[in-house]
Amino acid sequence: MNNSRIPMPVQAPEERIKNFSEVALGYNEEAAISEAERCMNCKTHPCTAACPVGVRIPEFIACIKEGRFEEAYSVVRADNALPAVCGRVCPQERQCEGSCLRQKAGGPIAIGRLERFVADRHAAQGGTPSKAPASGRKVAVVGSGPAGLACAGELAARGYAVTVFEALHLAGGVLAYGIPEFRLPKRIVNQEIAALEEMGVTFVKNAVIGRSLTVSELRAEGFAAVFLGTGAGLPNFMNIPGENARGVFSANEYLTRINLMKAYEEDAETPVFRAKQVAVVGGGNVAMDAARCARRLGAEVTVVYRRSEEELPARREEVEHAREEGIGFAFLTNPVEVLTREGDVCGLRCVKMQLGAPDASGRRRPTAVAGSEHDRAADCVIMALGTSPNPLIGQTTEGLELRGRGEIFADENGRTSLRGVYAGGDAVTGAATVILAMGAGKRAARAIDEDIRSGIL
Amino acid sequence: MYRILKKQKLNASVVRMEIEAPLAAKHARAGQFVILRADARGERIPLTIAASDKARGTVTVIYQIVGGATMSLDRLEAGECVADLTGPLGRPSAIEGLKRVVVVGGGVGCAIALPLVRALHEQGSYVVAIAGFRTAEIVILEEEFSALADEFYLTTDDGTRGEHGNVCMPLARCIEGGKFDAVFTIGPLPMMKFVAKTTEPYKIPTIASMNPIMIDGTGMCGCCRLTVGGERKFACVDGPEFDAHLIDFDEAIARSRTYRAFEAAARARHCNLYQRSENEGGRYE
Ligand code: FES
């Protein structure tokens, strides 16, 4: 038996900073089998318990060991609607892999990489998803991000006629506009969407629910239920001077220009700001994505984060990849002003921070060190400070109960304050992860199915 | 899908297009906008709804050919389709209850002023329309304004048509001479800034339709942000109309120039036929 984790083949850093192609290249069969053989199939299955959607991990790994790859895929797919996506973007170190008993024995089993392997292999093989007998009822899904796709998939599998409404011109939500090509190739997203279409799901793009159509109009048009998976799209800012100068962008804007509008391509119609020295403020996956995009567009990049390295919320692999690509980190540093010259960004004034007692999030609260003000050079600042729910649906749907920052109120099965209206994902929880949103979408689909069957809808 | 039913040149670089888009037409109201893409590689272009027809399921937009994206759009003819069209976006103009109103349009901004004048006229308001242009050659929609407005004033910077000078002159006379409930202004940022300055001493509520750079138009990217009364507002969801006396116009003007170099290069690439107007916002009217 192999002792340590099989490394993931990657594009060399000096090469990949010149392109937007995928960084991690994926295991081949041999590597997958060797990695699978490291699994001890321990009795307690802590990995499955730590998976937000409860994938039967030891079972699919056992299939890989024996070369039964298609079967492995079916096991994963039974609980996870988007395995090719999750294998790439889940924070495995805090979920399945974080609970693996082999932690100290050569490292945890590379569960994410194995999940990706079986999904990619299945896609390469091509297979037709099974169609359930039609139930004769229609359900509308608002938003085609992870929550919406998972909900649509689950409902289609149960025989519902599902229509997904998307505000942008491409489906996928954050998978399309947010996560860059080099981390999640768009062909993977398109494959997943094509698979849903084959199951009979209809996608209506360029439809802004709350403006083009309202939720109550959807109900009136004969949709038995409406699922709101509108995500948390509204970008947060710091409210510091200079934040509206030319050269300050929300990470959402910067990433949308690059991922959705392909602004990095030669002769693209949509522009993206070409900077020399970029400061990215924040420490999550979105901050890493923005930093690595800026690097690929030729800039020197520093990530400015107010806590220490230990608290970085980004996936560990993204931080490692960012470092390899020559991205700098300024920890315990917090901007207090964007410096400008004639309307253009020319720097970032920061203070040093120190960590005090833990705050509500359980992380140690950073406070400014007196007299620690200092300036960093930058001609572009990207704010990756998290997002809040989009208020559009709340504003235009009478009777829909909201909470604190405009999150939609829903119970653990996605039922909102309005009969026939369900919600899940970031729109309910505030910004979280792809996999949590998918879990919520799926639970809501089950609740919808239950309520329709029991005659409530 | 989104078929162009009519295309008509209003002047050398301003074009009116009626496009089939039933979903956008259904709820479209004066003051709102759509975002369209000419083709599969196209930029998302925000354009104010100049007219809409629920029965025919169409929206009409008016654009000025100013950059790469509008040049691509202009290559399409009646019978062909644009790749995407989303809307209606933004909040409708708040005109309810207004009895006496001045609407000030500048350049291609008059294309957006017109539906507002029409909506006011239809609700029975007394409407003064003021339209300003650089020169006689680019005057558009003159007949339409005359037909709908109770009073209509036309100005040109060079005096080749109508009154010689800018829109603030007839505006000052109007508000000096009578009482008005509101002034709406739509056009190049510097013009709207001066309209706001003109009405401020009279304390007449003044509303500017802002045209910052946009991408999604749904509040997701924040690139359309403005400072209004010291607060951050997203033009696409909070606007596009704001209290002109509270808008930080200088900041808006600076932000509208973010992609100057890129746009110049794109124009040079396409051709050198067209000249960009003063209006350097994201909305290409
Ligand atoms: S255009 Fe993106 S938030 Fe307004």
Side-chain angles (χ1 to χ4, degrees), chain A residues 212 217 243 246 250 253 269 390, chain B residues 27 72 87 218 221 223 254:
Chain A
S212 315
E217 281 173 319
E243 218 172 1
R246 273 195 302 261
S250 77
E253 174 184 354
E269 242 179 40
N390 194 307
Chain B
H27 292 292
S72 301
T218 64
C221 74
C223 77

Side-chain angles (χ1 to χ4, degrees), chain A residues 60 74 167 225 288:
Chain A
F60 97 77
S74 306
M288 299 305 134

Side-chain angles (χ1 to χ4, degrees), chain A residues 212-252:
Chain A
S212 315
L213 280 170
T214 62
V215 171
S216 56
E217 281 173 319
L218 289 174
R219 292 296 310 281
E221 280 188 10
F223 288 102
V226 178
F227 172 76
L228 304 173
T230 44
L234 206 69
N236 297 336
F237 287 91
M238 296 190 82
N239 299 318
I240 57 175
E243 218 172 1
N244 291 342
R246 273 195 302 261
V248 183
F249 304 93
S250 77
N252 268 9

